Amino acid sequence: MKKEIPRFKNEKEEADFWDNNDSSEYIDWSKASMASFPKLKPSLKTISLRLPENMLNELKVYANKQDIPYQSFMKMLLAEKLKELRSA
C-alpha cells in the first residue's frame, strides 16, 4: 500500500516535498511506462563565445559549403564531438 500524495499549494511546495521524500513510497514505479514527447523542443540557452577571427571565418566557409547557417554548423560539430566523447 503506497502513501497518498498530498495536495500542494504551488510548484515550490511540491518541489520541496519531492526533494525531501522518496517517490517510491508514493508511486509504484513497476507500473510506469516510458513517456514520449516527439514535439517537445529542447530549451535553448544563449551564450557568448569568443573565437579567434580566423576560426570563425573558417567555420563560416565550411558552413557555407554545406549551405547551412554557421551557428547551426557549430551546434552540429559540438553534438558530434559530444556523442564521440560519450561513447569513449
Side-chain angles (χ1 to χ4, degrees), residues 18-53:
W18 292 119
D19 283 344
N20 297 301
N21 290 278
D22 182 355
S23 64
S24 64
E25 294 179 10
Y26 297 85
I27 300 167
D28 183 358
W29 289 111
S30 68
K31 296 179 181 175
S33 61
M34 184 64 71
S36 176
F37 304 99
K39 295 183 181 183
L40 185 64
K41 293 183 180 179
S43 299
L44 300 177
K45 175 80 172 173
T46 300
I47 63 166
S48 177
L49 180 65
R50 298 182 197 288
L51 297 174
E53 282 187 52

PDB file of all heavy atoms in Angstrom, residues 18-53:
ATOM      1  N   TRP A  18       9.108  16.758  -2.965  1.00  0.00           N
ATOM      2  CA  TRP A  18       9.803  15.679  -3.668  1.00  0.00           C
ATOM      3  C   TRP A  18      11.308  15.713  -3.424  1.00  0.00           C
ATOM      4  O   TRP A  18      11.977  14.680  -3.516  1.00  0.00           O
ATOM      5  CB  TRP A  18       9.471  15.705  -5.156  1.00  0.00           C
ATOM      6  CG  TRP A  18       8.042  15.338  -5.419  1.00  0.00           C
ATOM      7  CD1 TRP A  18       7.089  16.124  -6.003  1.00  0.00           C
ATOM      8  CD2 TRP A  18       7.387  14.105  -5.090  1.00  0.00           C
ATOM      9  NE1 TRP A  18       5.881  15.460  -6.052  1.00  0.00           N
ATOM     10  CE2 TRP A  18       6.043  14.212  -5.495  1.00  0.00           C
ATOM     11  CE3 TRP A  18       7.795  12.928  -4.491  1.00  0.00           C
ATOM     12  CZ2 TRP A  18       5.110  13.189  -5.335  1.00  0.00           C
ATOM     13  CZ3 TRP A  18       6.872  11.897  -4.314  1.00  0.00           C
ATOM     14  CH2 TRP A  18       5.552  12.033  -4.735  1.00  0.00           C
ATOM     15  N   ASP A  19      11.842  16.880  -3.093  1.00  0.00           N
ATOM     16  CA  ASP A  19      13.265  16.959  -2.738  1.00  0.00           C
ATOM     17  C   ASP A  19      13.553  16.228  -1.435  1.00  0.00           C
ATOM     18  O   ASP A  19      14.666  15.762  -1.211  1.00  0.00           O
ATOM     19  CB  ASP A  19      13.717  18.418  -2.601  1.00  0.00           C
ATOM     20  CG  ASP A  19      13.939  19.096  -3.940  1.00  0.00           C
ATOM     21  OD1 ASP A  19      14.039  18.392  -4.963  1.00  0.00           O
ATOM     22  OD2 ASP A  19      14.011  20.343  -3.954  1.00  0.00           O
ATOM     23  N   ASN A  20      12.549  16.139  -0.575  1.00  0.00           N
ATOM     24  CA  ASN A  20      12.750  15.588   0.765  1.00  0.00           C
ATOM     25  C   ASN A  20      12.035  14.268   1.022  1.00  0.00           C
ATOM     26  O   ASN A  20      12.033  13.781   2.151  1.00  0.00           O
ATOM     27  CB  ASN A  20      12.312  16.620   1.812  1.00  0.00           C
ATOM     28  CG  ASN A  20      13.163  17.874   1.741  1.00  0.00           C
ATOM     29  OD1 ASN A  20      14.367  17.810   1.905  1.00  0.00           O
ATOM     30  ND2 ASN A  20      12.532  19.002   1.453  1.00  0.00           N
ATOM     31  N   ASN A  21      11.419  13.689  -0.004  1.00  0.00           N
ATOM     32  CA  ASN A  21      10.697  12.432   0.162  1.00  0.00           C
ATOM     33  C   ASN A  21      11.053  11.462  -0.950  1.00  0.00           C
ATOM     34  O   ASN A  21      11.333  11.862  -2.078  1.00  0.00           O
ATOM     35  CB  ASN A  21       9.179  12.682   0.169  1.00  0.00           C
ATOM     36  CG  ASN A  21       8.739  13.393   1.420  1.00  0.00           C
ATOM     37  OD1 ASN A  21       8.549  12.772   2.457  1.00  0.00           O
ATOM     38  ND2 ASN A  21       8.603  14.718   1.344  1.00  0.00           N
ATOM     39  N   ASP A  22      11.018  10.187  -0.628  1.00  0.00           N
ATOM     40  CA  ASP A  22      11.302   9.128  -1.589  1.00  0.00           C
ATOM     41  C   ASP A  22      10.032   8.831  -2.382  1.00  0.00           C
ATOM     42  O   ASP A  22       9.021   8.386  -1.823  1.00  0.00           O
ATOM     43  CB  ASP A  22      11.771   7.878  -0.839  1.00  0.00           C
ATOM     44  CG  ASP A  22      12.140   6.730  -1.750  1.00  0.00           C
ATOM     45  OD1 ASP A  22      11.945   6.843  -2.976  1.00  0.00           O
ATOM     46  OD2 ASP A  22      12.629   5.725  -1.225  1.00  0.00           O
ATOM     47  N   SER A  23      10.082   9.057  -3.689  1.00  0.00           N
ATOM     48  CA  SER A  23       8.895   8.880  -4.528  1.00  0.00           C
ATOM     49  C   SER A  23       8.404   7.441  -4.539  1.00  0.00           C
ATOM     50  O   SER A  23       7.214   7.190  -4.758  1.00  0.00           O
ATOM     51  CB  SER A  23       9.175   9.342  -5.952  1.00  0.00           C
ATOM     52  OG  SER A  23      10.170   8.544  -6.548  1.00  0.00           O
ATOM     53  N   SER A  24       9.286   6.478  -4.283  1.00  0.00           N
ATOM     54  CA  SER A  24       8.865   5.067  -4.308  1.00  0.00           C
ATOM     55  C   SER A  24       7.913   4.735  -3.155  1.00  0.00           C
ATOM     56  O   SER A  24       7.244   3.709  -3.183  1.00  0.00           O
ATOM     57  CB  SER A  24      10.066   4.130  -4.291  1.00  0.00           C
ATOM     58  OG  SER A  24      10.783   4.264  -3.082  1.00  0.00           O
ATOM     59  N   GLU A  25       7.838   5.603  -2.163  1.00  0.00           N
ATOM     60  CA  GLU A  25       6.867   5.401  -1.080  1.00  0.00           C
ATOM     61  C   GLU A  25       5.462   5.836  -1.516  1.00  0.00           C
ATOM     62  O   GLU A  25       4.480   5.508  -0.871  1.00  0.00           O
ATOM     63  CB  GLU A  25       7.281   6.190   0.165  1.00  0.00           C
ATOM     64  CG  GLU A  25       8.566   5.690   0.795  1.00  0.00           C
ATOM     65  CD  GLU A  25       8.974   6.514   2.010  1.00  0.00           C
ATOM     66  OE1 GLU A  25       8.175   7.350   2.476  1.00  0.00           O
ATOM     67  OE2 GLU A  25      10.103   6.308   2.491  1.00  0.00           O
ATOM     68  N   TYR A  26       5.398   6.586  -2.623  1.00  0.00           N
ATOM     69  CA  TYR A  26       4.128   7.149  -3.086  1.00  0.00           C
ATOM     70  C   TYR A  26       3.701   6.609  -4.452  1.00  0.00           C
ATOM     71  O   TYR A  26       2.522   6.637  -4.796  1.00  0.00           O
ATOM     72  CB  TYR A  26       4.236   8.678  -3.178  1.00  0.00           C
ATOM     73  CG  TYR A  26       4.487   9.320  -1.840  1.00  0.00           C
ATOM     74  CD1 TYR A  26       5.778   9.447  -1.329  1.00  0.00           C
ATOM     75  CD2 TYR A  26       3.431   9.785  -1.065  1.00  0.00           C
ATOM     76  CE1 TYR A  26       6.012  10.029  -0.093  1.00  0.00           C
ATOM     77  CE2 TYR A  26       3.648  10.358   0.176  1.00  0.00           C
ATOM     78  CZ  TYR A  26       4.934  10.474   0.652  1.00  0.00           C
ATOM     79  OH  TYR A  26       5.153  11.040   1.886  1.00  0.00           O
ATOM     80  N   ILE A  27       4.664   6.150  -5.244  1.00  0.00           N
ATOM     81  CA  ILE A  27       4.387   5.740  -6.623  1.00  0.00           C
ATOM     82  C   ILE A  27       4.926   4.336  -6.858  1.00  0.00           C
ATOM     83  O   ILE A  27       6.058   4.031  -6.491  1.00  0.00           O
ATOM     84  CB  ILE A  27       5.040   6.726  -7.611  1.00  0.00           C
ATOM     85  CG1 ILE A  27       4.486   8.136  -7.396  1.00  0.00           C
ATOM     86  CG2 ILE A  27       4.842   6.268  -9.055  1.00  0.00           C
ATOM     87  CD1 ILE A  27       5.271   9.227  -8.084  1.00  0.00           C
ATOM     88  N   ASP A  28       4.125   3.500  -7.491  1.00  0.00           N
ATOM     89  CA  ASP A  28       4.570   2.153  -7.858  1.00  0.00           C
ATOM     90  C   ASP A  28       5.250   2.245  -9.223  1.00  0.00           C
ATOM     91  O   ASP A  28       4.604   2.186 -10.268  1.00  0.00           O
ATOM     92  CB  ASP A  28       3.379   1.195  -7.903  1.00  0.00           C
ATOM     93  CG  ASP A  28       3.801  -0.237  -8.215  1.00  0.00           C
ATOM     94  OD1 ASP A  28       5.009  -0.473  -8.432  1.00  0.00           O
ATOM     95  OD2 ASP A  28       2.917  -1.110  -8.228  1.00  0.00           O
ATOM     96  N   TRP A  29       6.572   2.401  -9.209  1.00  0.00           N
ATOM     97  CA  TRP A  29       7.321   2.609 -10.442  1.00  0.00           C
ATOM     98  C   TRP A  29       7.349   1.374 -11.326  1.00  0.00           C
ATOM     99  O   TRP A  29       7.660   1.475 -12.519  1.00  0.00           O
ATOM    100  CB  TRP A  29       8.745   3.078 -10.126  1.00  0.00           C
ATOM    101  CG  TRP A  29       8.763   4.482  -9.590  1.00  0.00           C
ATOM    102  CD1 TRP A  29       9.067   4.867  -8.325  1.00  0.00           C
ATOM    103  CD2 TRP A  29       8.432   5.686 -10.296  1.00  0.00           C
ATOM    104  NE1 TRP A  29       8.952   6.232  -8.199  1.00  0.00           N
ATOM    105  CE2 TRP A  29       8.556   6.760  -9.396  1.00  0.00           C
ATOM    106  CE3 TRP A  29       8.035   5.955 -11.599  1.00  0.00           C
ATOM    107  CZ2 TRP A  29       8.312   8.073  -9.763  1.00  0.00           C
ATOM    108  CZ3 TRP A  29       7.788   7.268 -11.954  1.00  0.00           C
ATOM    109  CH2 TRP A  29       7.920   8.309 -11.046  1.00  0.00           C
ATOM    110  N   SER A  30       6.985   0.201 -10.802  1.00  0.00           N
ATOM    111  CA  SER A  30       6.956  -1.001 -11.639  1.00  0.00           C
ATOM    112  C   SER A  30       5.845  -0.921 -12.680  1.00  0.00           C
ATOM    113  O   SER A  30       5.867  -1.635 -13.672  1.00  0.00           O
ATOM    114  CB  SER A  30       6.782  -2.255 -10.782  1.00  0.00           C
ATOM    115  OG  SER A  30       5.495  -2.287 -10.191  1.00  0.00           O
ATOM    116  N   LYS A  31       4.873  -0.060 -12.451  1.00  0.00           N
ATOM    117  CA  LYS A  31       3.766   0.104 -13.398  1.00  0.00           C
ATOM    118  C   LYS A  31       3.978   1.300 -14.336  1.00  0.00           C
ATOM    119  O   LYS A  31       3.116   1.610 -15.148  1.00  0.00           O
ATOM    120  CB  LYS A  31       2.448   0.280 -12.637  1.00  0.00           C
ATOM    121  CG  LYS A  31       2.072  -0.944 -11.821  1.00  0.00           C
ATOM    122  CD  LYS A  31       0.791  -0.724 -11.080  1.00  0.00           C
ATOM    123  CE  LYS A  31       0.438  -1.968 -10.247  1.00  0.00           C
ATOM    124  NZ  LYS A  31      -0.740  -1.749  -9.422  1.00  0.00           N
ATOM    125  N   ALA A  32       5.118   1.951 -14.204  1.00  0.00           N
ATOM    126  CA  ALA A  32       5.399   3.123 -15.026  1.00  0.00           C
ATOM    127  C   ALA A  32       5.758   2.713 -16.456  1.00  0.00           C
ATOM    128  O   ALA A  32       6.242   1.611 -16.690  1.00  0.00           O
ATOM    129  CB  ALA A  32       6.550   3.920 -14.422  1.00  0.00           C
ATOM    130  N   SER A  33       5.497   3.589 -17.386  1.00  0.00           N
ATOM    131  CA  SER A  33       5.889   3.342 -18.771  1.00  0.00           C
ATOM    132  C   SER A  33       6.651   4.559 -19.281  1.00  0.00           C
ATOM    133  O   SER A  33       6.502   5.669 -18.761  1.00  0.00           O
ATOM    134  CB  SER A  33       4.659   3.076 -19.646  1.00  0.00           C
ATOM    135  OG  SER A  33       3.810   4.191 -19.634  1.00  0.00           O
ATOM    136  N   MET A  34       7.472   4.342 -20.300  1.00  0.00           N
ATOM    137  CA  MET A  34       8.274   5.405 -20.866  1.00  0.00           C
ATOM    138  C   MET A  34       7.362   6.388 -21.605  1.00  0.00           C
ATOM    139  O   MET A  34       6.527   5.990 -22.417  1.00  0.00           O
ATOM    140  CB  MET A  34       9.302   4.819 -21.836  1.00  0.00           C
ATOM    141  CG  MET A  34      10.260   5.834 -22.411  1.00  0.00           C
ATOM    142  SD  MET A  34      11.319   6.624 -21.206  1.00  0.00           S
ATOM    143  CE  MET A  34      12.403   5.274 -20.790  1.00  0.00           C
ATOM    144  N   ALA A  35       7.527   7.663 -21.318  1.00  0.00           N
ATOM    145  CA  ALA A  35       6.750   8.698 -21.994  1.00  0.00           C
ATOM    146  C   ALA A  35       7.524   9.190 -23.205  1.00  0.00           C
ATOM    147  O   ALA A  35       8.750   9.192 -23.217  1.00  0.00           O
ATOM    148  CB  ALA A  35       6.475   9.853 -21.041  1.00  0.00           C
ATOM    149  N   SER A  36       6.802   9.607 -24.220  1.00  0.00           N
ATOM    150  CA  SER A  36       7.419  10.135 -25.430  1.00  0.00           C
ATOM    151  C   SER A  36       6.793  11.490 -25.742  1.00  0.00           C
ATOM    152  O   SER A  36       5.572  11.631 -25.730  1.00  0.00           O
ATOM    153  CB  SER A  36       7.188   9.166 -26.590  1.00  0.00           C
ATOM    154  OG  SER A  36       7.706   9.721 -27.772  1.00  0.00           O
ATOM    155  N   PHE A  37       7.634  12.483 -25.980  1.00  0.00           N
ATOM    156  CA  PHE A  37       7.166  13.823 -26.301  1.00  0.00           C
ATOM    157  C   PHE A  37       7.821  14.261 -27.610  1.00  0.00           C
ATOM    158  O   PHE A  37       8.749  15.069 -27.625  1.00  0.00           O
ATOM    159  CB  PHE A  37       7.519  14.806 -25.171  1.00  0.00           C
ATOM    160  CG  PHE A  37       6.980  14.383 -23.838  1.00  0.00           C
ATOM    161  CD1 PHE A  37       7.788  13.728 -22.913  1.00  0.00           C
ATOM    162  CD2 PHE A  37       5.670  14.633 -23.497  1.00  0.00           C
ATOM    163  CE1 PHE A  37       7.299  13.337 -21.683  1.00  0.00           C
ATOM    164  CE2 PHE A  37       5.166  14.242 -22.268  1.00  0.00           C
ATOM    165  CZ  PHE A  37       5.987  13.596 -21.359  1.00  0.00           C
ATOM    166  N   PRO A  38       7.354  13.744 -28.739  1.00  0.00           N
ATOM    167  CA  PRO A  38       8.034  13.978 -30.014  1.00  0.00           C
ATOM    168  C   PRO A  38       8.035  15.438 -30.474  1.00  0.00           C
ATOM    169  O   PRO A  38       8.913  15.836 -31.228  1.00  0.00           O
ATOM    170  CB  PRO A  38       7.263  13.091 -30.993  1.00  0.00           C
ATOM    171  CG  PRO A  38       5.931  12.899 -30.377  1.00  0.00           C
ATOM    172  CD  PRO A  38       6.167  12.919 -28.882  1.00  0.00           C
ATOM    173  N   LYS A  39       7.091  16.237 -30.023  1.00  0.00           N
ATOM    174  CA  LYS A  39       7.034  17.628 -30.479  1.00  0.00           C
ATOM    175  C   LYS A  39       7.655  18.599 -29.478  1.00  0.00           C
ATOM    176  O   LYS A  39       7.644  19.803 -29.696  1.00  0.00           O
ATOM    177  CB  LYS A  39       5.586  18.028 -30.767  1.00  0.00           C
ATOM    178  CG  LYS A  39       4.998  17.251 -31.932  1.00  0.00           C
ATOM    179  CD  LYS A  39       3.616  17.697 -32.266  1.00  0.00           C
ATOM    180  CE  LYS A  39       3.087  16.860 -33.433  1.00  0.00           C
ATOM    181  NZ  LYS A  39       1.775  17.283 -33.852  1.00  0.00           N
ATOM    182  N   LEU A  40       8.199  18.068 -28.390  1.00  0.00           N
ATOM    183  CA  LEU A  40       8.811  18.908 -27.377  1.00  0.00           C
ATOM    184  C   LEU A  40      10.163  19.395 -27.873  1.00  0.00           C
ATOM    185  O   LEU A  40      11.016  18.607 -28.275  1.00  0.00           O
ATOM    186  CB  LEU A  40       8.989  18.120 -26.073  1.00  0.00           C
ATOM    187  CG  LEU A  40       9.511  18.895 -24.887  1.00  0.00           C
ATOM    188  CD1 LEU A  40       8.510  19.979 -24.471  1.00  0.00           C
ATOM    189  CD2 LEU A  40       9.757  17.956 -23.725  1.00  0.00           C
ATOM    190  N   LYS A  41      10.353  20.705 -27.866  1.00  0.00           N
ATOM    191  CA  LYS A  41      11.617  21.272 -28.318  1.00  0.00           C
ATOM    192  C   LYS A  41      12.515  21.489 -27.105  1.00  0.00           C
ATOM    193  O   LYS A  41      12.049  21.916 -26.055  1.00  0.00           O
ATOM    194  CB  LYS A  41      11.379  22.603 -29.032  1.00  0.00           C
ATOM    195  CG  LYS A  41      10.623  22.453 -30.334  1.00  0.00           C
ATOM    196  CD  LYS A  41      10.477  23.762 -31.038  1.00  0.00           C
ATOM    197  CE  LYS A  41       9.708  23.570 -32.337  1.00  0.00           C
ATOM    198  NZ  LYS A  41       9.527  24.816 -33.042  1.00  0.00           N
ATOM    199  N   PRO A  42      13.807  21.201 -27.253  1.00  0.00           N
ATOM    200  CA  PRO A  42      14.706  21.403 -26.114  1.00  0.00           C
ATOM    201  C   PRO A  42      14.840  22.884 -25.768  1.00  0.00           C
ATOM    202  O   PRO A  42      14.748  23.745 -26.648  1.00  0.00           O
ATOM    203  CB  PRO A  42      16.031  20.831 -26.604  1.00  0.00           C
ATOM    204  CG  PRO A  42      15.945  20.823 -28.082  1.00  0.00           C
ATOM    205  CD  PRO A  42      14.493  20.704 -28.420  1.00  0.00           C
ATOM    206  N   SER A  43      15.040  23.158 -24.499  1.00  0.00           N
ATOM    207  CA  SER A  43      15.269  24.534 -24.070  1.00  0.00           C
ATOM    208  C   SER A  43      16.605  25.000 -24.629  1.00  0.00           C
ATOM    209  O   SER A  43      17.573  24.242 -24.661  1.00  0.00           O
ATOM    210  CB  SER A  43      15.298  24.619 -22.548  1.00  0.00           C
ATOM    211  OG  SER A  43      14.071  24.209 -22.017  1.00  0.00           O
ATOM    212  N   LEU A  44      16.640  26.224 -25.046  1.00  0.00           N
ATOM    213  CA  LEU A  44      17.870  26.786 -25.593  1.00  0.00           C
ATOM    214  C   LEU A  44      18.391  27.865 -24.661  1.00  0.00           C
ATOM    215  O   LEU A  44      17.612  28.604 -24.051  1.00  0.00           O
ATOM    216  CB  LEU A  44      17.630  27.378 -26.981  1.00  0.00           C
ATOM    217  CG  LEU A  44      17.136  26.413 -28.055  1.00  0.00           C
ATOM    218  CD1 LEU A  44      16.870  27.167 -29.352  1.00  0.00           C
ATOM    219  CD2 LEU A  44      18.136  25.307 -28.284  1.00  0.00           C
ATOM    220  N   LYS A  45      19.680  27.961 -24.551  1.00  0.00           N
ATOM    221  CA  LYS A  45      20.324  28.963 -23.720  1.00  0.00           C
ATOM    222  C   LYS A  45      21.263  29.752 -24.612  1.00  0.00           C
ATOM    223  O   LYS A  45      22.108  29.182 -25.310  1.00  0.00           O
ATOM    224  CB  LYS A  45      21.104  28.263 -22.592  1.00  0.00           C
ATOM    225  CG  LYS A  45      21.909  29.168 -21.719  1.00  0.00           C
ATOM    226  CD  LYS A  45      21.037  29.833 -20.703  1.00  0.00           C
ATOM    227  CE  LYS A  45      21.907  30.583 -19.716  1.00  0.00           C
ATOM    228  NZ  LYS A  45      21.154  31.374 -18.819  1.00  0.00           N
ATOM    229  N   THR A  46      21.132  31.068 -24.615  1.00  0.00           N
ATOM    230  CA  THR A  46      22.009  31.922 -25.394  1.00  0.00           C
ATOM    231  C   THR A  46      23.310  32.109 -24.626  1.00  0.00           C
ATOM    232  O   THR A  46      23.291  32.377 -23.428  1.00  0.00           O
ATOM    233  CB  THR A  46      21.346  33.290 -25.647  1.00  0.00           C
ATOM    234  OG1 THR A  46      20.131  33.074 -26.354  1.00  0.00           O
ATOM    235  CG2 THR A  46      22.250  34.199 -26.454  1.00  0.00           C
ATOM    236  N   ILE A  47      24.417  31.931 -25.329  1.00  0.00           N
ATOM    237  CA  ILE A  47      25.722  32.128 -24.702  1.00  0.00           C
ATOM    238  C   ILE A  47      26.557  33.074 -25.549  1.00  0.00           C
ATOM    239  O   ILE A  47      26.280  33.286 -26.728  1.00  0.00           O
ATOM    240  CB  ILE A  47      26.490  30.800 -24.517  1.00  0.00           C
ATOM    241  CG1 ILE A  47      26.798  30.148 -25.869  1.00  0.00           C
ATOM    242  CG2 ILE A  47      25.719  29.849 -23.607  1.00  0.00           C
ATOM    243  CD1 ILE A  47      27.820  29.033 -25.788  1.00  0.00           C
ATOM    244  N   SER A  48      27.583  33.612 -24.938  1.00  0.00           N
ATOM    245  CA  SER A  48      28.555  34.428 -25.657  1.00  0.00           C
ATOM    246  C   SER A  48      29.827  33.604 -25.748  1.00  0.00           C
ATOM    247  O   SER A  48      30.303  33.058 -24.755  1.00  0.00           O
ATOM    248  CB  SER A  48      28.807  35.725 -24.887  1.00  0.00           C
ATOM    249  OG  SER A  48      29.798  36.475 -25.542  1.00  0.00           O
ATOM    250  N   LEU A  49      30.372  33.480 -26.935  1.00  0.00           N
ATOM    251  CA  LEU A  49      31.541  32.650 -27.152  1.00  0.00           C
ATOM    252  C   LEU A  49      32.578  33.459 -27.918  1.00  0.00           C
ATOM    253  O   LEU A  49      32.300  33.960 -28.999  1.00  0.00           O
ATOM    254  CB  LEU A  49      31.127  31.405 -27.948  1.00  0.00           C
ATOM    255  CG  LEU A  49      32.184  30.387 -28.285  1.00  0.00           C
ATOM    256  CD1 LEU A  49      32.731  29.746 -27.012  1.00  0.00           C
ATOM    257  CD2 LEU A  49      31.604  29.315 -29.192  1.00  0.00           C
ATOM    258  N   ARG A  50      33.757  33.578 -27.363  1.00  0.00           N
ATOM    259  CA  ARG A  50      34.829  34.319 -28.028  1.00  0.00           C
ATOM    260  C   ARG A  50      35.681  33.332 -28.818  1.00  0.00           C
ATOM    261  O   ARG A  50      36.206  32.373 -28.268  1.00  0.00           O
ATOM    262  CB  ARG A  50      35.688  35.053 -27.008  1.00  0.00           C
ATOM    263  CG  ARG A  50      34.915  36.073 -26.215  1.00  0.00           C
ATOM    264  CD  ARG A  50      35.843  36.804 -25.253  1.00  0.00           C
ATOM    265  NE  ARG A  50      35.132  37.496 -24.211  1.00  0.00           N
ATOM    266  CZ  ARG A  50      34.408  38.595 -24.353  1.00  0.00           C
ATOM    267  NH1 ARG A  50      34.285  39.121 -25.550  1.00  0.00           N
ATOM    268  NH2 ARG A  50      33.809  39.158 -23.335  1.00  0.00           N
ATOM    269  N   LEU A  51      35.794  33.596 -30.117  1.00  0.00           N
ATOM    270  CA  LEU A  51      36.591  32.753 -31.001  1.00  0.00           C
ATOM    271  C   LEU A  51      37.586  33.622 -31.757  1.00  0.00           C
ATOM    272  O   LEU A  51      37.271  34.771 -32.095  1.00  0.00           O
ATOM    273  CB  LEU A  51      35.701  32.038 -32.026  1.00  0.00           C
ATOM    274  CG  LEU A  51      34.660  31.067 -31.522  1.00  0.00           C
ATOM    275  CD1 LEU A  51      33.790  30.583 -32.676  1.00  0.00           C
ATOM    276  CD2 LEU A  51      35.320  29.892 -30.827  1.00  0.00           C
ATOM    277  N   PRO A  52      38.739  33.070 -32.076  1.00  0.00           N
ATOM    278  CA  PRO A  52      39.650  33.818 -32.955  1.00  0.00           C
ATOM    279  C   PRO A  52      38.953  34.067 -34.298  1.00  0.00           C
ATOM    280  O   PRO A  52      38.220  33.205 -34.797  1.00  0.00           O
ATOM    281  CB  PRO A  52      40.840  32.867 -33.126  1.00  0.00           C
ATOM    282  CG  PRO A  52      40.759  31.923 -31.962  1.00  0.00           C
ATOM    283  CD  PRO A  52      39.303  31.801 -31.638  1.00  0.00           C
ATOM    284  N   GLU A  53      39.179  35.230 -34.863  1.00  0.00           N
ATOM    285  CA  GLU A  53      38.501  35.589 -36.116  1.00  0.00           C
ATOM    286  C   GLU A  53      38.753  34.577 -37.219  1.00  0.00           C
ATOM    287  O   GLU A  53      37.835  34.231 -37.969  1.00  0.00           O
ATOM    288  CB  GLU A  53      38.933  36.982 -36.586  1.00  0.00           C
ATOM    289  CG  GLU A  53      38.258  38.099 -35.827  1.00  0.00           C
ATOM    290  CD  GLU A  53      38.574  39.452 -36.428  1.00  0.00           C
ATOM    291  OE1 GLU A  53      38.387  39.620 -37.660  1.00  0.00           O
ATOM    292  OE2 GLU A  53      39.002  40.325 -35.661  1.00  0.00           O
TER     293      GLU A  53
END
